[in-house]
Amino acid sequence: MAVSGFWTLIGILAVVGSQMVEVECNEEAELIRDLFKDYNKNIRPVKRHEDKVQVQIKLTLTNLISLNEKEETLTTNVWIEIQWVDFRLSWNITEYYGITIIRVPSKTLWLPDIVLENNIDGKFDLTYYANVLIQSTGEMYWLPPCIYRSTCSVEITYFPFDYQNCTLAFRSQTYNANEVELILAVDKGVKIEWVEIDPEEFTENGEWAIVHRPARKVINSQYSPDELEYQEIVFNIIIQRKPLFYIVNIILPCALISSLVVLAYFLPAQAGGQKLTVSISVLLAQTVFLFLIAQKVPETSLSVPLIGKYIIFVMCVTTLIATNQIVVLNFSLRSPSTHTMSNSVKRLFLEMVPRFLGMSPLADDNEVTTEMNGLRERRRSSFGLMQRAEEYVLKQPRSEMMFDKQRERHGLTRSIVDNMDISSTANLYKSLAQAAPEIKQCVDACNFIAESTRQQNNIGSVIENWVLIGKMIDKVCFWAAILLFIIGTVSIFLTGHYNRAPEWPFPGEHNKYEPPL
């Protein structure tokens, strides 16, 4: 008997509980039925026509997805918070079982038609039409998630050390300022003049760092309040690029490859073909880097990116080095038969330039230039030694090394040889010609050989001087290329290093538009 009474009690409690749940559900349904009995979602929630609906807007950024410089498009993942008051959807809590808030599909309500004005894909719809929270006072709270693709004018002057100022501009698509007033959201009496970021939900971008995120209402005075363009809520996102990727993958390899062209100066001055091969190979590699940059930045003629300026600079330096190598090769392969070296050229490149480079002069101080019969004859001090050796050879075999009978057979006597004037080659030649005409031919042959040797030495000396001039030009251009390369690289990238986002988001306003600490 006790067991049956227990199960009866359990059954009664179950029936009562199910009825209570049904009553509770019916209470909210009854409230919604009463609220939407004569509700028209196409009519503004105002009592008089001249009244305005005040709409509060707040933006919460959850992910800065990307900034496509080529298409000048910013892709963001945001939550847009919209609040307004609809007096037609208010109720007395005591009359409806203490219900203070209800959730209603957004497509059944009047909406202020807030859209992103600077969207680029033409899709004004939201990603997901979330429910609207309605409080008993008629306050509407709508928080739909969105993925926006908006236009962003990209300034590439200092790429990849640049910062960009992108905007998200919102306004009503169907209502003007006399019908709907757009304002920034207010929380606990504080106007939210910034883009909200939840640290727990926000995903940091690997290429961009957010510097400023101000928000403000903009009144376009060139329009009247009856036009849709008169008012808009603008959220600015000022971002600074993180250049590490471009430094490691583009700038550093380009600088290293460009520095190889300077090493071509360590090749001999006559190795012009090998030098040009190195220079042209480096020039082709720099062209590849230039193509990579062209695929990244927008196709605009308004400005040239900083890294593009650097690549063009090193390409110009490489071209100048290749031109210099051709000039050096031209100097190094000159000969007396094609060019005449003037004293001023010799003095400049063999005396003054070496002293300027901290080297000893390359010209021989004992070298003498004389004029004979209108022709320029070049002789060095070594030629004097050769001349004295020639006199010795011409004298010794015929004065001391010949036997007496052989000397008598040729008509030479000791008295004749002793009376010869051997103070110079010319006097010796005359004395031998007078003593024995047969020896004259031998002396002429020896003089011809000596003169040919002397001319060959003169030609070799001139060719050597041209080669030395080429080496001096090479050394001067080597140091000039080193200085130009270093100064140009440092100056170009220093301008990018100091290109930072401004301290204040708007010029002339000392307000960072940030939440209070």
Side-chain angles (χ1 to χ4, degrees):
M1 185 69 180
V3 175
S4 61
F6 173 76
W7 285 111
T8 303
L9 179 61
I10 294 298
I12 294 173
L13 291 176
V15 172
V16 172
S18 62
Q19 291 179 351
M20 290 179 62
V21 172
E22 183 179 357
V23 170
E24 183 177 354
C25 294
N26 289 335
E27 289 176 354
E28 187 170 334
E30 179 183 354
L31 172 60
I32 294 176
R33 184 175 60 253
D34 293 344
L35 289 176
F36 287 89
K37 183 177 182 180
D38 297 322
Y39 184 81
N40 189 345
K41 67 176 184 179
N42 297 320
I43 300 176
R44 284 190 307 126
V46 292
K47 296 180 179 180
R48 295 183 299 273
H49 176 72
E50 61 272 12
D51 292 342
K52 300 179 182 179
V53 179
Q54 194 176 71
V55 179
Q56 300 183 18
I57 300 177
K58 173 185 173 183
L59 193 69
T60 302
L61 180 65
T62 59
N63 187 9
L64 178 62
I65 299 176
S66 66
L67 174 61
N68 190 328
E69 295 92 344
K70 189 75 174 178
E71 299 179 357
E72 297 187 278
T73 304
L74 176 69
T75 305
T76 53
N77 188 359
V78 301
W79 295 81
I80 179 170
E81 179 182 311
I82 304 175
Q83 300 181 56
W84 70 96
V85 176
D86 192 338
F87 71 96
R88 298 172 297 175
L89 299 178
S90 60
W91 68 90
N92 191 341
I93 300 176
T94 58
E95 296 179 359
Y96 290 95
Y97 317 103
I99 299 176
T100 59
I101 187 171
I102 58 175
R103 294 162 183 83
V104 179
S106 58
K107 293 187 177 181
T108 62
L109 301 172
W110 176 89
L111 300 176
D113 291 337
I114 304 300
V115 297
L116 179 65
E117 185 270 334
N118 60 332
N119 78 88
I120 196 172
D121 52 9
K123 296 180 180 180
F124 294 95
D125 292 340
L126 301 173
T127 304
Y128 173 69
Y129 279 85
N131 290 337
V132 178
L133 277 66
I134 307 176
Q135 298 184 8
S136 60
T137 57
E139 296 179 4
M140 320 290 286
Y141 181 86
W142 191 28
L143 187 64
C146 306
I147 295 180
Y148 285 127
R149 295 182 71 245
S150 57
T151 59
C152 180
S153 180
V154 177
E155 176 60 44
I156 62 171
T157 303
Y158 295 97
F159 175 84
F161 302 94
D162 56 330
Y163 70 89
Q164 306 297 333
N165 187 356
C166 300
T167 60
L168 297 173
F170 293 90
R171 69 182 180 207
S172 178
Q173 189 179 14
T174 54
Y175 298 101
N176 57 39
N178 292 326
E179 297 170 331
V180 171
E181 181 184 4
L182 303 180
I183 63 173
L184 292 172
V186 178
D187 184 18
K188 299 179 181 179
V190 179
K191 184 186 294 185
I192 303 177
E193 298 180 312
W194 55 84
V195 176
E196 194 71 34
I197 292 180
D198 188 352
E200 297 181 357
E201 298 180 0
F202 180 73
T203 303
E204 186 176 0
N205 187 274
E207 185 178 1
W208 298 96
I210 299 177
V211 182
H212 300 294
R213 42 192 172 94
R216 60 179 178 176
K217 180 179 179 179
V218 176
I219 300 298
N220 299 315
S221 57
Q222 66 268 27
Y223 300 100
S224 66
D226 295 329
E227 298 179 276
L228 300 179
E229 296 84 359
Y230 178 73
Q231 62 172 352
E232 58 185 7
I233 300 295
V234 179
F235 297 93
N236 294 77
I237 302 178
I238 302 176
I239 50 180
Q240 180 82 45
R241 190 191 300 272
K242 302 174 184 178
L244 182 61
F245 173 83
Y246 297 95
I247 292 176
V248 173
N249 293 279
I250 295 181
I251 296 177
L252 190 58
C254 182
L256 293 177
I257 292 176
S258 301
S259 62
L260 291 178
V261 73
V262 182
L263 299 180
Y265 284 107
F266 288 93
L267 294 174
Q270 299 91 331
Q274 291 82 347
K275 288 185 175 183
L276 287 176
T277 301
V278 173
S279 301
I280 293 174
S281 300
V282 172
L283 196 60
L284 291 176
Q286 293 167 348
T287 306
V288 173
F289 283 108
L290 192 61
F291 284 147
L292 292 177
I293 298 303
Q295 294 175 0
K296 182 68 176 177
V297 299
E299 298 174 355
T300 176
S301 300
L302 300 178
S303 59
V304 179
L306 188 68
I307 190 171
K309 293 178 183 177
Y310 173 71
I311 295 178
I312 293 174
F313 165 74
V314 294
M315 290 179 67
C316 292
V317 173
T318 304
T319 305
L320 290 176
I321 290 176
T323 305
N324 161 248
Q325 292 165 355
I326 296 175
V327 173
V328 170
L329 185 62
N330 177 273
F331 274 90
S332 301
L333 299 181
R334 289 185 178 184
S335 63
S337 60
T338 58
H339 297 82
T340 301
M341 183 184 299
S342 62
N343 288 331
S344 58
V345 172
K346 183 185 299 183
R347 179 176 177 81
L348 174 64
F349 289 100
L350 300 183
E351 295 183 12
M352 299 177 63
V353 173
R355 287 194 180 98
F356 176 76
L357 297 176
M359 303 168 56
S360 58
L362 301 180
D364 193 347
D365 295 336
N366 296 326
E367 185 176 353
V368 182
T369 301
T370 59
E371 296 289 340
M372 179 178 292
N373 299 327
L375 298 176
R376 185 170 296 167
E377 181 184 1
R378 299 175 177 85
R379 295 183 298 171
R380 294 181 181 269
S381 58
S382 58
F383 296 157
L385 296 176
M386 294 176 59
Q387 182 182 14
R388 288 190 290 272
E390 177 190 352
E391 294 174 355
Y392 179 78
V393 171
L394 290 175
K395 172 184 176 182
Q396 288 298 103
R398 293 170 177 79
S399 61
E400 297 180 1
M401 299 178 65
M402 294 177 64
F403 295 102
D404 293 339
K405 291 183 179 181
Q406 291 176 339
R407 288 160 52 195
E408 292 176 359
R409 187 182 304 120
H410 291 287
L412 295 175
T413 60
R414 184 178 299 276
S415 59
I416 295 176
V417 175
D418 293 339
N419 293 331
M420 287 183 182
D421 184 5
I422 59 173
S423 59
S424 64
T425 303
N427 294 333
L428 177 62
Y429 174 73
K430 292 179 181 180
S431 300
L432 291 175
Q434 294 174 358
E438 295 83 356
I439 300 179
K440 181 177 182 298
Q441 296 178 357
C442 180
V443 174
D444 290 340
C446 293
N447 287 335
F448 177 77
I449 295 173
E451 184 64 25
S452 298
T453 304
R454 187 181 300 111
Q455 290 179 0
Q456 291 178 1
N457 291 333
N458 288 338
I459 293 174
S461 175
V462 174
I463 293 176
E464 180 184 357
N465 285 341
W466 283 120
V467 174
L468 292 176
I469 289 176
K471 289 182 178 180
M472 286 300 101
I473 297 176
D474 233 12
K475 287 184 179 295
V476 171
C477 293
F478 167 73
W479 290 111
I482 286 288
L483 292 177
L484 184 63
F485 185 78
I486 294 176
I487 295 175
T489 301
V490 172
S491 60
I492 287 176
F493 287 117
L494 275 182
T495 57
H497 176 72
Y498 289 106
N499 181 53
R500 297 295 179 181
E503 182 181 2
W504 311 102
F506 302 113
E509 296 184 15
H510 296 283
N511 183 6
K512 290 190 174 182
Y513 295 88
E514 294 180 351
L517 300 177

XYZ file of all heavy atoms in Angstrom, residues 445-486:
334
model
N 125.010 44.920 -88.214
C 124.065 43.890 -87.781
C 123.823 43.938 -86.285
O 122.691 43.813 -85.802
C 124.582 42.508 -88.196
N 124.932 44.140 -85.556
C 124.776 44.242 -84.092
C 123.951 45.457 -83.709
O 123.104 45.402 -82.802
C 126.159 44.290 -83.437
S 127.097 42.763 -83.585
N 124.178 46.573 -84.397
C 123.386 47.784 -84.100
C 121.913 47.580 -84.435
O 121.022 48.072 -83.733
C 123.936 48.966 -84.893
C 125.258 49.467 -84.334
O 125.531 49.276 -83.146
N 126.088 50.073 -85.173
N 121.658 46.824 -85.545
C 120.262 46.553 -85.907
C 119.569 45.703 -84.829
O 118.435 45.977 -84.453
C 120.219 45.834 -87.264
C 118.829 45.453 -87.680
C 117.944 46.402 -88.185
C 118.398 44.131 -87.544
C 116.669 46.034 -88.561
C 117.107 43.781 -87.901
C 116.239 44.726 -88.413
N 120.281 44.680 -84.346
C 119.710 43.837 -83.292
C 119.473 44.642 -82.025
O 118.428 44.522 -81.364
C 120.641 42.640 -83.019
C 120.702 41.732 -84.260
C 120.164 41.846 -81.807
C 121.712 40.622 -84.140
N 120.438 45.498 -81.671
C 120.281 46.317 -80.459
C 119.125 47.294 -80.592
O 118.342 47.504 -79.652
C 121.573 47.069 -80.171
N 118.990 47.869 -81.808
C 117.895 48.833 -82.015
C 116.541 48.131 -81.967
O 115.573 48.653 -81.404
C 118.085 49.527 -83.356
C 117.063 50.621 -83.652
C 117.175 51.777 -82.671
O 118.273 51.975 -82.103
O 116.159 52.470 -82.456
N 116.462 46.914 -82.550
C 115.207 46.156 -82.503
C 114.847 45.788 -81.076
O 113.683 45.890 -80.654
C 115.326 44.889 -83.357
O 115.565 45.218 -84.705
N 115.867 45.372 -80.306
C 115.615 45.050 -78.896
C 115.155 46.278 -78.128
O 114.235 46.221 -77.294
C 116.879 44.474 -78.255
O 117.314 43.349 -79.012
C 116.623 44.051 -76.820
N 115.769 47.416 -78.451
C 115.398 48.654 -77.766
C 113.956 49.043 -78.101
O 113.183 49.459 -77.229
C 116.367 49.767 -78.169
C 116.176 51.070 -77.393
C 117.149 52.145 -77.847
N 118.520 51.714 -77.657
C 119.372 51.435 -78.653
N 118.962 51.531 -79.913
N 120.603 51.066 -78.392
N 113.544 48.900 -79.356
C 112.174 49.234 -79.747
C 111.164 48.288 -79.087
O 110.093 48.718 -78.650
C 112.054 49.168 -81.269
C 112.790 50.289 -81.988
C 112.670 50.172 -83.490
O 112.039 49.243 -83.994
N 113.279 51.127 -84.209
N 111.518 46.996 -79.045
C 110.629 46.047 -78.385
C 110.470 46.382 -76.905
O 109.363 46.294 -76.351
C 111.145 44.620 -78.558
C 111.056 44.107 -79.981
C 111.627 42.709 -80.124
O 112.079 42.125 -79.132
N 111.610 42.191 -81.343
N 111.574 46.772 -76.277
C 111.481 47.173 -74.865
C 110.627 48.419 -74.693
O 109.859 48.542 -73.740
C 112.874 47.397 -74.291
C 113.658 46.113 -74.146
O 113.070 45.047 -73.998
N 114.987 46.203 -74.206
N 110.765 49.353 -75.639
C 109.948 50.570 -75.566
C 108.465 50.234 -75.720
O 107.604 50.739 -75.002
C 110.376 51.564 -76.643
C 111.713 52.204 -76.335
O 112.135 52.237 -75.185
N 112.406 52.691 -77.376
N 108.158 49.347 -76.704
C 106.760 48.949 -76.908
C 106.230 48.221 -75.687
O 105.112 48.461 -75.214
C 106.651 48.069 -78.169
C 106.971 48.896 -79.421
C 105.248 47.466 -78.267
C 107.023 48.073 -80.692
N 107.020 47.301 -75.123
C 106.592 46.601 -73.907
C 106.385 47.543 -72.748
O 105.462 47.359 -71.934
N 107.259 48.571 -72.648
C 107.102 49.548 -71.569
C 105.807 50.332 -71.717
O 105.088 50.577 -70.741
C 108.306 50.490 -71.562
O 108.136 51.517 -70.611
N 105.477 50.723 -72.961
C 104.244 51.492 -73.184
C 103.017 50.616 -72.903
O 102.045 51.056 -72.262
C 104.213 52.035 -74.624
C 102.874 52.700 -74.913
C 105.343 53.030 -74.825
N 103.049 49.370 -73.386
C 101.927 48.463 -73.118
C 101.751 48.244 -71.621
O 100.633 48.215 -71.090
C 102.149 47.124 -73.853
C 102.077 47.338 -75.363
C 101.120 46.094 -73.411
C 102.369 46.090 -76.176
N 102.876 48.108 -70.921
C 102.803 47.941 -69.470
C 102.195 49.166 -68.804
O 101.409 49.050 -67.855
C 104.210 47.685 -68.923
C 104.247 47.488 -67.408
C 105.657 47.342 -66.894
O 106.599 47.337 -67.710
O 105.808 47.250 -65.656
N 102.530 50.345 -69.307
C 101.945 51.579 -68.751
C 100.431 51.624 -68.979
O 99.677 52.048 -68.094
C 102.610 52.802 -69.390
C 104.001 53.040 -68.853
O 104.358 52.537 -67.782
N 104.814 53.774 -69.595
N 99.979 51.181 -70.166
C 98.524 51.158 -70.401
C 97.830 50.191 -69.450
O 96.737 50.461 -68.945
C 98.229 50.767 -71.849
C 98.441 51.861 -72.855
C 99.290 51.865 -73.909
C 97.773 53.130 -72.903
N 99.212 53.039 -74.608
C 98.270 53.844 -74.017
C 96.797 53.745 -72.109
C 97.836 55.115 -74.354
C 96.353 55.011 -72.451
C 96.876 55.691 -73.549
N 98.457 49.040 -69.226
C 97.877 48.082 -68.280
C 97.824 48.668 -66.881
O 96.833 48.509 -66.148
C 98.682 46.764 -68.298
C 98.182 45.818 -67.205
C 98.566 46.089 -69.656
N 98.885 49.375 -66.493
C 98.896 50.010 -65.169
C 97.816 51.078 -65.062
O 97.180 51.227 -64.018
C 100.278 50.612 -64.895
C 101.426 49.610 -64.714
C 102.751 50.352 -64.550
C 101.175 48.724 -63.497
N 97.599 51.811 -66.150
C 96.530 52.825 -66.136
C 95.172 52.144 -65.960
O 94.311 52.606 -65.195
C 96.584 53.660 -67.427
C 97.811 54.568 -67.420
C 95.310 54.491 -67.581
C 97.999 55.360 -68.700
N 94.970 51.025 -66.664
C 93.719 50.276 -66.482
C 93.542 49.800 -65.054
O 92.436 49.855 -64.497
N 94.619 49.345 -64.432
C 94.536 48.898 -63.035
C 94.207 50.056 -62.110
O 93.428 49.900 -61.151
C 95.858 48.258 -62.621
C 96.119 46.903 -63.264
C 97.417 46.296 -62.763
C 97.637 44.920 -63.374
N 98.910 44.302 -62.906
N 94.785 51.233 -62.384
C 94.486 52.394 -61.541
C 93.020 52.814 -61.681
O 92.356 53.144 -60.697
C 95.402 53.566 -61.924
C 96.843 53.410 -61.468
S 96.997 53.263 -59.666
C 97.202 51.494 -59.483
N 92.499 52.790 -62.907
C 91.077 53.096 -63.096
C 90.222 52.064 -62.361
O 89.205 52.388 -61.738
C 90.736 53.138 -64.595
C 91.504 54.257 -65.283
C 89.236 53.320 -64.802
C 91.295 54.298 -66.785
N 90.632 50.811 -62.412
C 89.918 49.745 -61.718
C 89.883 49.978 -60.217
O 88.843 49.808 -59.566
C 90.591 48.405 -62.025
C 89.597 47.386 -62.545
O 88.468 47.789 -62.869
O 89.943 46.195 -62.625
N 91.025 50.374 -59.650
C 91.084 50.597 -58.203
C 90.223 51.780 -57.788
O 89.506 51.725 -56.790
C 92.530 50.821 -57.766
C 93.386 49.562 -57.773
C 94.776 49.844 -57.238
C 95.608 48.571 -57.220
N 95.065 47.568 -56.282
N 90.300 52.863 -58.560
C 89.489 54.047 -58.228
C 88.002 53.701 -58.298
O 87.218 54.036 -57.394
C 89.836 55.205 -59.179
C 88.860 56.359 -58.989
C 91.267 55.686 -58.947
N 87.600 53.007 -59.360
C 86.185 52.651 -59.500
C 85.756 51.620 -58.455
O 84.590 51.591 -58.049
C 85.915 52.122 -60.898
S 86.110 53.369 -62.189
N 86.679 50.768 -58.012
C 86.353 49.800 -56.960
C 85.954 50.510 -55.672
O 84.905 50.219 -55.085
C 87.556 48.884 -56.724
C 87.448 48.056 -55.473
C 86.578 46.989 -55.405
C 88.197 48.365 -54.346
C 86.473 46.219 -54.259
C 88.103 47.613 -53.191
C 87.241 46.542 -53.148
N 86.774 51.460 -55.248
C 86.445 52.195 -54.008
C 85.222 53.074 -54.203
O 84.402 53.219 -53.281
C 87.638 53.031 -53.563
C 88.777 52.202 -53.057
C 89.992 52.008 -53.634
C 88.789 51.427 -51.855
N 90.771 51.158 -52.883
C 90.056 50.794 -51.779
C 87.874 51.194 -50.845
C 90.401 49.958 -50.718
C 88.216 50.364 -49.800
C 89.473 49.758 -49.733
N 85.065 53.641 -55.398
C 83.862 54.448 -55.661
C 82.604 53.579 -55.611
O 81.575 53.981 -55.052
C 83.984 55.145 -57.011
N 82.675 52.357 -56.184
C 81.518 51.452 -56.159
C 81.204 50.995 -54.740
O 80.025 50.903 -54.353
C 81.784 50.250 -57.066
N 82.237 50.707 -53.953
C 82.022 50.306 -52.555
C 81.319 51.415 -51.785
O 80.311 51.185 -51.085
C 83.366 49.955 -51.893
C 83.870 48.603 -52.399
C 83.217 49.904 -50.376
C 83.110 47.411 -51.893
N 81.828 52.647 -51.898
C 81.218 53.775 -51.174
C 79.800 54.037 -51.669
O 78.880 54.275 -50.867
C 82.087 55.026 -51.350
C 83.462 54.992 -50.671
C 84.246 56.253 -50.996
C 83.316 54.838 -49.162
N 79.592 53.980 -52.979
C 78.260 54.231 -53.528
C 77.276 53.165 -53.073
O 76.133 53.474 -52.703
C 78.340 54.272 -55.053
C 77.042 54.617 -55.805
C 76.588 56.021 -55.438
C 77.266 54.513 -57.307
N 77.704 51.920 -53.062
C 76.838 50.815 -52.663
C 76.454 50.940 -51.189
O 75.281 50.796 -50.824
C 77.551 49.492 -52.927
C 76.716 48.284 -52.658
C 75.754 47.864 -53.546
C 76.880 47.551 -51.494
C 74.969 46.747 -53.294
C 76.116 46.440 -51.227
C 75.165 46.041 -52.131
N 77.434 51.217 -50.324
C 77.162 51.296 -48.887
C 76.304 52.512 -48.565
O 75.287 52.413 -47.865
C 78.483 51.330 -48.097
C 79.230 49.991 -48.256
C 78.221 51.608 -46.614
C 80.586 49.973 -47.600
